[in-house]
Amino acid sequence: FMGRYADKKSFAAMIEICFIFLAVSFAFIVLPINGTGKITYIVYVVLHGISQAGINSALMNMVFDYVPHEKRADSLAVCQAVAGVVGFLTTLLAGAIISAVQKSGFSVFGINVYAQQLTTLIGVIVSVFAIFYIRYIIIGKEKKENKNEQL
């Protein structure tokens, strides 16, 4: 389904939808109510799986859409290297946040907030930022270029 959508629209449009699924999946972890943890976790796993399948495929294919043939191998290598560094730094940051929250406790309006909820909230925020970036920077640029080509 997503591959056909990407062929019809673009891989940027596909990855936007996948980041929406990702943000919604994270929201299910941020907002569970006592007694609904099993259900929200199942919904999270399903939506997260859908999002990651599309994101992994679309990120690689976006390189093929936007990078000239002779620079693709270098671009893929840089993407993977940056992903590794960002993943490592994110792990360090999340570990520090989790340690701090677990030591001191954290509550909002008298409701206990657990470390995994807080780190997942950060994931929601980053996902929403990615959605806006894709929508207004990448897809907006595509639309502008297409409009200029038609003139």
Side-chain angles (χ1 to χ4, degrees):
F1 166 76
M2 293 304 283
R4 277 185 259 134
Y5 179 78
D7 290 340
K8 187 176 180 180
K9 296 283 188 176
S10 71
F11 282 102
M14 175 183 156
I15 203 167
E16 178 187 21
I17 290 174
C18 293
F19 271 107
I20 292 169
F21 273 96
L22 184 64
V24 171
S25 75
F26 285 157
F28 273 92
I29 296 297
V30 173
L31 303 172
I33 301 168
N34 289 339
T36 63
K38 290 179 182 177
I39 294 168
T40 57
Y41 186 73
I42 291 169
V43 173
Y44 159 77
V45 168
V46 170
L47 294 176
H48 191 264
I50 292 168
S51 72
Q52 289 304 303
I55 288 170
N56 291 336
S57 153
L59 283 176
M60 183 173 288
N61 284 309
M62 281 181 68
V63 171
F64 290 101
D65 276 355
Y66 295 105
V67 177
H69 181 70
E70 60 277 357
K71 294 182 181 181
R72 286 181 185 161
D74 293 339
S75 297
L76 288 169
V78 168
C79 286
Q80 294 304 311
V82 169
V85 170
V86 169
F88 176 72
L89 294 175
T90 301
T91 302
L92 291 178
L93 178 64
I97 292 170
I98 289 169
S99 293
V101 170
Q102 287 177 334
K103 284 180 187 173
S104 64
F106 187 69
S107 64
V108 176
F109 303 118
I111 300 170
N112 286 334
V113 176
Y114 299 100
Q116 58 270 50
Q117 288 175 296
L118 187 59
T119 55
T120 307
L121 177 61
I122 294 168
V124 170
I125 293 166
V126 170
S127 297
V128 168
F129 175 77
I131 292 165
F132 281 102
Y133 180 82
I134 293 164
R135 162 78 44 99
Y136 296 108
I137 304 298
I138 297 175
I139 295 175
K141 184 178 176 183
E142 284 178 353
K143 287 181 180 179
K144 190 175 183 179
E145 287 174 358
N146 290 339
K147 188 177 181 181
N148 288 339
E149 286 176 6
Q150 291 175 352
L151 296 176

